[in-house]
């Protein structure tokens, strides 16, 4: 298992480029199921979850072509025939977002068999709202042997009010409704930019969707969708992580290739902490020259402070003067990084879904364990300012969602290297046709 060895203390200086958003790329790949024509996706990040989705689609019978060379961030998916509309436990347990194929499969094939995801490091994360919504669209759903089986001759448009805001739930039903008979109105939808990006792609495919990015989405069902080409939006969470890295290390970092309008609340909060940033076009420059002061956050659905930035923010405020209260409202168990940060010298007390971080405490290198994707990012950030050499174990978590993070950080002056490959990496085939 790979580890990162990080020697802290270097300010990050220069330009760092943001990749495409993993959480926009995953539903876009699932959307390819809805048509028998090719879908060409650009700005696809090279991360493990994308590879898992490729395997998932290939196992159903899709042709998935990965770009190479200068086109390495392009992928073409063609679901001409889907011989096996299934998502196996083997793949779903690796990536919960696999449940995104449920809606598109029922809509396109009239049936789907998708493994239930089971527990997760950050919370229970059920998919009951996906299932309830599909039932409202007329699917018959049964559950047996850990699998959900859904079937419908043709889905029917319906009015659906989500009991709770869910990102992939909104995306799943949005995709299903595009091919339904009649009009669907989804209410209390997630307003994340990734939902709007998916709707953009679906509209290019011939869907008739209005209101994506707001809490009410109206979909007029069509009988068929066609191929399309689409560029995935930049990853706002990766961008936010790099901005915090620049601030924490007292650097001067230009985070380019991002969309600052997706980071409004994060940048506002960082300003409150004393982090100076300047946004222009597709970049955010962070100048980490001031003292940091405490500020509280509450995670919320978009446009609120993202839960996916909570762990990184916690690392930041370990270096701020005063007490910061970090309240996690989306997931029940998303504080696994806190105890690892404490091992590095942070003063953090957890009370239910709140963490109180008292700073500023010097951080010192330790051997720590990454527990999930964003927790790993927070440990990398802490290690960048810790005294000595931190070893972060289980970095496969970070590889799920951050593209070549060690190379990107090294490029702006971080001392970070990957160890643990006993055998040299096998040459990866440059193009794979499944
Ligand atoms: N929920 C239910 N029932 C459902 C669906 C969700 O109770 O059927 C609950 C969840 O347990 C949670 C809340 O609703 O408490 C919100 O969960 P949501 O469904 O919005 O999360 P998700 O769609 O599974 C996506 C991202 C996550 C991100 C969350 C919240 C993708 C692929 N994943 O997950 O990203 O944290 O939204 O913004 O888009 C990450 O990238 O590290 C990550 C975990």
């Amino acid at each position: 298992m790979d580890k990162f060895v990080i020697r802290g203390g270097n300010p990050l200086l220069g330009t760092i480029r943001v990749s495409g958003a993993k959480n926009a790329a995953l539903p876009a790949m699932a959307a390819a199921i809805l048509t028998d024509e090719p879908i060409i996706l650009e700005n696809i990040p090279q991360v493990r979850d994308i590879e898992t989705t490729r395997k998932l689609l290939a196992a159903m019978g899709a042709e998935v072509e990965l770009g190479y060379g200068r086109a390495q961030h392009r992928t073409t998916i063609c679901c001409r025939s889907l011989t096996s509309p299934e998502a196996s436990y083997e793949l779903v347990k690796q990536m919960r977002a696999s449940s995104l194929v449920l809606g598109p499969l029922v809509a396109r094939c009239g049936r789907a068999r998708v493994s239930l995801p089971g527990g997760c490091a950050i919370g229970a994360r059920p998919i009951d709202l996906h299932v309830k919504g599909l039932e409202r669209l007329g699917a018959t759903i049964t559950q047996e042997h850990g699998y959900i089986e859904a079937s419908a001759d043709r889905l029917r448009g319906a009015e659906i009010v989500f009991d709770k805001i869910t990102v992939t739930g909104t995306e799943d039903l949005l995709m299903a409704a595009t091919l339904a008979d009649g009009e669907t109105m989804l209410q209390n939808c997630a307003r994340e930019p990734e939902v709007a990006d998916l709707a953009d792609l679906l509209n290019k495919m011939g869907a008739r969707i209005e209101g994506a990015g707001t809490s009410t989405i109206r979909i007029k069902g069509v009988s068929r969708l066609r191929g399309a080409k689409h560029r995935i939006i930049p990853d706002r969470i990766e961008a936010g992580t790099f901005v915090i890295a620049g601030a924490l290390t007292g650097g001067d970092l230009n985070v380019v290739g991002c969309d600052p309008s997706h980071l409004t609340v994060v940048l506002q909060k960082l300003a409150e902490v004393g982090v100076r940033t300047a946004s222009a076009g597709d970049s955010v420059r962070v100048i980490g020259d001031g003292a940091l002061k405490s500020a509280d956050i509450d995670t919320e659905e978009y446009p609120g402070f993202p839960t996916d930035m909570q762990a990184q923010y916690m690392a930041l405020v370990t270096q701020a003067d005063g007490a910061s209260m970090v309240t996690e409202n989306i997931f029940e168990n998303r504080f696994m990084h806190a105890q690892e940060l404490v091992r590095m010298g942070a003063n953090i007390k957890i009370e239910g879904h709140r963490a109180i971080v008292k700073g500023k405490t010097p951080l010192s290198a330790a051997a720590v364990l990454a527990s999930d994707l964003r927790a790993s990012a927070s440990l990398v950030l802490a290690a960048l300012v810790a005294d000595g050499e931190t070893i972060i174990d289980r970095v496969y978590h970070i590889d799920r969602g951050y593209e070549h993070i060690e190379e990107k950080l090294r490029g702006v002056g971080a001392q970070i290297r990957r160890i643990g490959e006993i055998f040299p990496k096998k040459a990866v085939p440059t193009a794979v046709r499944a």
Side-chain angles (χ1 to χ4, degrees), residues 32 35-39 61-64 76-82:
T35 174
D36 58 1
E37 294 183 16
I39 297 295
E63 296 159 44
V64 187
T76 304
I77 304 165
C78 187
C79 295
R80 216 179 313 271
S81 72
L82 291 170

PDB file of all heavy atoms in Angstrom, residues 32 35-39 61-64 76-82:
ATOM      1  N   ALA A  32     -24.031   8.292 -19.930  1.00  0.00           N
ATOM      2  CA  ALA A  32     -23.787   7.650 -21.226  1.00  0.00           C
ATOM      3  C   ALA A  32     -24.690   6.424 -21.418  1.00  0.00           C
ATOM      4  O   ALA A  32     -24.968   6.001 -22.544  1.00  0.00           O
ATOM      5  CB  ALA A  32     -22.318   7.252 -21.344  1.00  0.00           C
ATOM      6  N   THR A  35     -27.997   6.519 -23.773  1.00  0.00           N
ATOM      7  CA  THR A  35     -28.046   6.566 -25.237  1.00  0.00           C
ATOM      8  C   THR A  35     -27.196   5.453 -25.857  1.00  0.00           C
ATOM      9  O   THR A  35     -26.235   4.985 -25.237  1.00  0.00           O
ATOM     10  CB  THR A  35     -27.563   7.945 -25.766  1.00  0.00           C
ATOM     11  OG1 THR A  35     -27.487   7.896 -27.186  1.00  0.00           O
ATOM     12  CG2 THR A  35     -26.210   8.335 -25.224  1.00  0.00           C
ATOM     13  N   ASP A  36     -27.541   5.103 -27.093  1.00  0.00           N
ATOM     14  CA  ASP A  36     -26.715   4.097 -27.779  1.00  0.00           C
ATOM     15  C   ASP A  36     -25.635   4.767 -28.631  1.00  0.00           C
ATOM     16  O   ASP A  36     -24.910   4.095 -29.358  1.00  0.00           O
ATOM     17  CB  ASP A  36     -27.590   3.152 -28.619  1.00  0.00           C
ATOM     18  CG  ASP A  36     -28.429   3.883 -29.657  1.00  0.00           C
ATOM     19  OD1 ASP A  36     -28.317   5.132 -29.733  1.00  0.00           O
ATOM     20  OD2 ASP A  36     -29.202   3.218 -30.375  1.00  0.00           O
ATOM     21  N   GLU A  37     -25.558   6.098 -28.553  1.00  0.00           N
ATOM     22  CA  GLU A  37     -24.524   6.806 -29.325  1.00  0.00           C
ATOM     23  C   GLU A  37     -23.362   7.195 -28.404  1.00  0.00           C
ATOM     24  O   GLU A  37     -23.535   7.258 -27.182  1.00  0.00           O
ATOM     25  CB  GLU A  37     -25.142   8.063 -29.954  1.00  0.00           C
ATOM     26  CG  GLU A  37     -26.199   7.730 -31.004  1.00  0.00           C
ATOM     27  CD  GLU A  37     -26.757   8.980 -31.673  1.00  0.00           C
ATOM     28  OE1 GLU A  37     -26.139  10.060 -31.551  1.00  0.00           O
ATOM     29  OE2 GLU A  37     -27.813   8.868 -32.305  1.00  0.00           O
ATOM     30  N   PRO A  38     -22.201   7.511 -28.983  1.00  0.00           N
ATOM     31  CA  PRO A  38     -21.043   7.822 -28.122  1.00  0.00           C
ATOM     32  C   PRO A  38     -21.164   9.148 -27.378  1.00  0.00           C
ATOM     33  O   PRO A  38     -21.662  10.127 -27.916  1.00  0.00           O
ATOM     34  CB  PRO A  38     -19.875   7.907 -29.120  1.00  0.00           C
ATOM     35  CG  PRO A  38     -20.368   7.359 -30.400  1.00  0.00           C
ATOM     36  CD  PRO A  38     -21.849   7.463 -30.408  1.00  0.00           C
ATOM     37  N   ILE A  39     -20.686   9.143 -26.167  1.00  0.00           N
ATOM     38  CA  ILE A  39     -20.588  10.354 -25.350  1.00  0.00           C
ATOM     39  C   ILE A  39     -19.095  10.636 -25.169  1.00  0.00           C
ATOM     40  O   ILE A  39     -18.343   9.767 -24.704  1.00  0.00           O
ATOM     41  CB  ILE A  39     -21.240  10.130 -23.959  1.00  0.00           C
ATOM     42  CG1 ILE A  39     -22.733   9.843 -24.097  1.00  0.00           C
ATOM     43  CG2 ILE A  39     -20.997  11.311 -23.023  1.00  0.00           C
ATOM     44  CD1 ILE A  39     -23.555  10.999 -24.640  1.00  0.00           C
ATOM     45  N   GLY A  61     -21.256  -4.007 -20.563  1.00  0.00           N
ATOM     46  CA  GLY A  61     -21.222  -4.166 -22.009  1.00  0.00           C
ATOM     47  C   GLY A  61     -20.900  -2.881 -22.750  1.00  0.00           C
ATOM     48  O   GLY A  61     -20.925  -2.843 -23.978  1.00  0.00           O
ATOM     49  N   ALA A  62     -20.578  -1.816 -22.011  1.00  0.00           N
ATOM     50  CA  ALA A  62     -20.259  -0.536 -22.667  1.00  0.00           C
ATOM     51  C   ALA A  62     -18.851  -0.581 -23.252  1.00  0.00           C
ATOM     52  O   ALA A  62     -17.987  -1.305 -22.757  1.00  0.00           O
ATOM     53  CB  ALA A  62     -20.336   0.590 -21.647  1.00  0.00           C
ATOM     54  N   GLU A  63     -18.659   0.206 -24.326  1.00  0.00           N
ATOM     55  CA  GLU A  63     -17.298   0.377 -24.859  1.00  0.00           C
ATOM     56  C   GLU A  63     -16.768   1.668 -24.250  1.00  0.00           C
ATOM     57  O   GLU A  63     -17.366   2.723 -24.422  1.00  0.00           O
ATOM     58  CB  GLU A  63     -17.337   0.540 -26.373  1.00  0.00           C
ATOM     59  CG  GLU A  63     -17.863  -0.670 -27.108  1.00  0.00           C
ATOM     60  CD  GLU A  63     -18.346  -0.282 -28.502  1.00  0.00           C
ATOM     61  OE1 GLU A  63     -17.650   0.489 -29.188  1.00  0.00           O
ATOM     62  OE2 GLU A  63     -19.433  -0.741 -28.882  1.00  0.00           O
ATOM     63  N   VAL A  64     -15.666   1.543 -23.530  1.00  0.00           N
ATOM     64  CA  VAL A  64     -15.107   2.722 -22.866  1.00  0.00           C
ATOM     65  C   VAL A  64     -13.692   2.919 -23.354  1.00  0.00           C
ATOM     66  O   VAL A  64     -12.845   2.034 -23.197  1.00  0.00           O
ATOM     67  CB  VAL A  64     -15.094   2.547 -21.335  1.00  0.00           C
ATOM     68  CG1 VAL A  64     -14.678   3.848 -20.653  1.00  0.00           C
ATOM     69  CG2 VAL A  64     -16.444   2.102 -20.821  1.00  0.00           C
ATOM     70  N   THR A  76     -14.277   8.360 -24.096  1.00  0.00           N
ATOM     71  CA  THR A  76     -15.453   8.189 -24.956  1.00  0.00           C
ATOM     72  C   THR A  76     -16.165   6.918 -24.510  1.00  0.00           C
ATOM     73  O   THR A  76     -15.531   5.866 -24.355  1.00  0.00           O
ATOM     74  CB  THR A  76     -15.019   8.053 -26.430  1.00  0.00           C
ATOM     75  OG1 THR A  76     -14.237   9.199 -26.762  1.00  0.00           O
ATOM     76  CG2 THR A  76     -16.215   7.974 -27.367  1.00  0.00           C
ATOM     77  N   ILE A  77     -17.453   7.068 -24.286  1.00  0.00           N
ATOM     78  CA  ILE A  77     -18.224   5.915 -23.805  1.00  0.00           C
ATOM     79  C   ILE A  77     -19.358   5.658 -24.787  1.00  0.00           C
ATOM     80  O   ILE A  77     -20.093   6.581 -25.131  1.00  0.00           O
ATOM     81  CB  ILE A  77     -18.828   6.201 -22.412  1.00  0.00           C
ATOM     82  CG1 ILE A  77     -17.709   6.589 -21.435  1.00  0.00           C
ATOM     83  CG2 ILE A  77     -19.597   4.991 -21.881  1.00  0.00           C
ATOM     84  CD1 ILE A  77     -18.217   7.218 -20.166  1.00  0.00           C
ATOM     85  N   CYS A  78     -19.470   4.420 -25.197  1.00  0.00           N
ATOM     86  CA  CYS A  78     -20.580   4.095 -26.090  1.00  0.00           C
ATOM     87  C   CYS A  78     -21.348   2.892 -25.531  1.00  0.00           C
ATOM     88  O   CYS A  78     -20.795   1.799 -25.394  1.00  0.00           O
ATOM     89  CB  CYS A  78     -20.083   3.806 -27.501  1.00  0.00           C
ATOM     90  SG  CYS A  78     -21.486   3.603 -28.603  1.00  0.00           S
ATOM     91  N   CYS A  79     -22.590   3.120 -25.175  1.00  0.00           N
ATOM     92  CA  CYS A  79     -23.422   2.046 -24.619  1.00  0.00           C
ATOM     93  C   CYS A  79     -24.372   1.540 -25.703  1.00  0.00           C
ATOM     94  O   CYS A  79     -25.595   1.580 -25.549  1.00  0.00           O
ATOM     95  CB  CYS A  79     -24.192   2.569 -23.404  1.00  0.00           C
ATOM     96  SG  CYS A  79     -23.114   3.026 -22.049  1.00  0.00           S
ATOM     97  N   ARG A  80     -23.760   1.104 -26.805  1.00  0.00           N
ATOM     98  CA  ARG A  80     -24.541   0.607 -27.933  1.00  0.00           C
ATOM     99  C   ARG A  80     -25.456  -0.538 -27.476  1.00  0.00           C
ATOM    100  O   ARG A  80     -26.632  -0.523 -27.692  1.00  0.00           O
ATOM    101  CB  ARG A  80     -23.583   0.073 -29.010  1.00  0.00           C
ATOM    102  CG  ARG A  80     -24.020   0.309 -30.422  1.00  0.00           C
ATOM    103  CD  ARG A  80     -22.986  -0.235 -31.395  1.00  0.00           C
ATOM    104  NE  ARG A  80     -21.615   0.135 -31.069  1.00  0.00           N
ATOM    105  CZ  ARG A  80     -21.022   1.246 -31.505  1.00  0.00           C
ATOM    106  NH1 ARG A  80     -21.689   2.087 -32.273  1.00  0.00           N
ATOM    107  NH2 ARG A  80     -19.770   1.522 -31.188  1.00  0.00           N
ATOM    108  N   SER A  81     -24.837  -1.507 -26.798  1.00  0.00           N
ATOM    109  CA  SER A  81     -25.688  -2.566 -26.253  1.00  0.00           C
ATOM    110  C   SER A  81     -25.241  -2.818 -24.812  1.00  0.00           C
ATOM    111  O   SER A  81     -24.049  -2.890 -24.532  1.00  0.00           O
ATOM    112  CB  SER A  81     -25.574  -3.832 -27.090  1.00  0.00           C
ATOM    113  OG  SER A  81     -24.329  -4.424 -26.866  1.00  0.00           O
ATOM    114  N   LEU A  82     -26.227  -2.923 -23.953  1.00  0.00           N
ATOM    115  CA  LEU A  82     -25.913  -3.167 -22.547  1.00  0.00           C
ATOM    116  C   LEU A  82     -26.421  -4.554 -22.211  1.00  0.00           C
ATOM    117  O   LEU A  82     -27.611  -4.759 -21.958  1.00  0.00           O
ATOM    118  CB  LEU A  82     -26.571  -2.099 -21.665  1.00  0.00           C
ATOM    119  CG  LEU A  82     -25.971  -0.705 -21.832  1.00  0.00           C
ATOM    120  CD1 LEU A  82     -26.818   0.348 -21.124  1.00  0.00           C
ATOM    121  CD2 LEU A  82     -24.540  -0.661 -21.298  1.00  0.00           C
TER     122      LEU A  82
END
